Amino acid sequence: MHCRTGVRHGEITLGGKDITEKTPEAYNDVFSDIVNRLIFHGKQVVQEDLLTDAQPVSMYKADGGIHEQERDVSKYWVKAEGSRINVRIALFGMENQTGYDSDMPLRVIGYDGAAYRAELSLEERYPVLTLILYFGDKPWGKNRSLYDVVSVPEELQPFVNDYRINVFEIARLPKESIDYFHSDFKVVVDYFVGKRTDPDYRPKDPEKFKHVDELLKLMSVLTHDNRFEDMLKEEGGKPKDMCEVLDRAEARGEIRGEIKGVIKLYRDEMNLLPSEIVNKIMLRFSLGRNEAEKYVEETLGLELA
């Protein structure tokens, strides 16, 4: 499947990549979708209206000072019992990982321990679950529990509790499981599974986006490709599905390559100064000065004053 969107030269921008302010997982419909698929195997157990935001930041003491540690997303799963007040029955924490982290078991222990520590003053106590969503191409490494990180002598093992973490390798989920997702996260899973198994990946049935801004910002961070987020600034409006996103990204890549080729031509064949090249490509590709300067700096490996 291939859909062309007709992106024009003037619509291409190269803004810097921002850290995602709010990920799609922070929305209850996406969060519950992920939990239901990964933990409950597609059964609709956790309803989005039974999720409430939890404080993602916790404190710990080290090196003589107080430090913060922050989850990507954290929510309580509450359950109403007749007319009684809602009771928290679980706290789910989510972590997005693009690379293998051998120390992840230690990090998760810190997150979960802080959450349990906060329960000391509560009458109703609840389990804490942390889900690691790993988007890397390569399989997650060995370290999936405390014993993988810390060497525990055999004679001490009866006294040292192991601590297992929950790592879900998104790009390696079975293709048939993609349809178990019903939120925007289905788009993310389909993309990473598809790109890993097929270099010419195209979505079969493009899903319409609900949380467009957050989804494209997350894709930009996870793929280290600012073309996803830059689409939010284009004159053509926000893309509606992944098919349109990929077509725009492809067009952007083609034009970017063309601009870089022209810059090298102006330098190598015409011996133009960097400032002259900036003016030339501004006119030729309908670029603003800042954008043209970024292209020249990136292509020629210099910094314009």
Side-chain angles (χ1 to χ4, degrees):
M1 182 173 186
H2 195 66
C3 313
R4 276 292 176 190
T5 58
V7 179
R8 300 188 304 272
H9 287 178
E11 296 175 354
I12 304 302
T13 60
L14 280 178
K17 184 191 300 181
D18 296 327
I19 296 176
T20 304
E21 296 179 358
K22 185 174 184 179
T23 68
E25 298 103 318
Y27 289 97
N28 285 358
D29 63 313
V30 179
F31 192 99
S32 61
D33 190 32
I34 294 171
V35 172
N36 285 331
R37 165 58 188 90
L38 299 181
I39 294 181
F40 298 110
H41 310 291
K43 296 180 180 179
Q44 301 305 299
V45 176
V46 178
Q47 299 176 15
E48 60 179 283
D49 59 351
L50 296 182
L51 291 170
T52 61
D53 291 336
Q55 174 58 259
V57 178
S58 58
M59 314 296 290
Y60 67 96
K61 191 173 183 180
D63 301 324
I66 302 298
H67 304 267
E68 287 186 351
Q69 58 185 8
E70 185 172 1
R71 295 182 185 270
D72 289 339
V73 185
S74 185
K75 289 182 182 290
Y76 293 115
W77 179 26
V78 300
K79 188 175 181 180
E81 296 184 353
S83 60
R84 294 178 58 192
I85 190 171
N86 286 350
V87 177
R88 297 170 180 170
I89 58 175
L91 183 148
F92 296 105
M94 287 190 183
E95 292 291 306
N96 291 322
Q97 284 290 126
T98 59
Y100 170 60
D101 185 347
S102 61
D103 292 328
M104 183 59 75
L106 301 181
R107 288 179 53 198
V108 172
I109 289 173
Y111 294 143
D112 293 355
Y116 282 121
R117 177 68 176 79
E119 294 184 28
L120 289 177
S121 60
L122 302 178
E123 291 185 7
E124 297 284 351
R125 295 174 180 176
Y126 47 88
V128 178
L129 292 80
T130 297
L131 312 183
I132 311 301
L133 307 183
Y134 172 59
F135 296 90
D137 289 332
K138 298 179 179 179
W140 183 267
K142 175 185 177 183
N143 292 7
R144 293 173 179 264
S145 73
L146 178 63
Y147 277 24
D148 294 333
V149 180
V150 178
S151 178
V152 182
E154 185 176 355
E155 59 270 24
L156 293 182
Q157 289 181 6
F159 306 96
V160 179
N161 293 327
D162 200 358
Y163 202 90
R164 181 179 59 85
I165 62 175
N166 305 301
V167 178
F168 297 93
E169 302 180 57
I170 301 303
R172 295 178 176 276
L173 290 176
K175 285 185 177 181
E176 59 272 17
S177 73
I178 295 175
D179 289 335
Y180 285 110
F181 293 96
H182 306 288
S183 68
D184 281 353
F185 201 72
K186 180 177 181 179
V187 175
V188 179
V189 176
D190 187 71
Y191 176 86
F192 279 93
V193 172
K195 292 294 284 185
R196 185 184 67 82
T197 58
D198 181 4
D200 298 320
Y201 159 77
R202 287 281 162 176
K204 293 184 300 183
D205 300 305
E207 302 283 337
K208 298 296 182 183
F209 300 150
K210 182 177 180 180
H211 309 295
V212 182
D213 291 56
E214 292 79 11
L215 181 65
L216 291 180
K217 289 178 181 178
L218 178 65
M219 290 294 294
S220 189
V221 171
L222 295 178
T223 62
H224 307 287
D225 187 342
N226 60 8
R227 289 179 297 177
F228 288 100
E229 184 174 354
D230 285 346
M231 291 176 199
L232 298 173
K233 309 169 189 175
E234 293 178 354
E235 295 176 3
K238 298 176 182 179
K240 299 178 179 62
D241 56 45
M242 186 54 75
C243 182
E244 185 176 350
V245 166
L246 295 179
D247 281 340
R248 289 197 190 187
E250 182 179 319
R252 182 187 295 272
E254 291 172 354
I255 294 172
R256 181 173 179 172
E258 181 182 350
I259 294 174
K260 287 190 170 187
V262 170
I263 291 173
K264 292 177 181 178
L265 177 67
Y266 285 151
R267 180 195 62 183
D268 299 338
E269 302 295 331
M270 300 178 65
N271 296 317
L272 296 182
L273 296 173
S275 59
E276 295 174 317
I277 296 176
V278 168
N279 293 331
K280 287 279 190 182
I281 65 169
M282 284 176 60
L283 293 174
R284 181 162 179 170
F285 296 100
S286 301
L287 303 176
R289 178 167 295 278
N290 289 340
E291 187 178 0
E293 288 179 347
K294 287 182 180 179
Y295 269 116
V296 172
E297 289 176 341
E298 182 179 326
T299 305
L300 302 184
L302 51 79
E303 184 175 345
L304 298 175

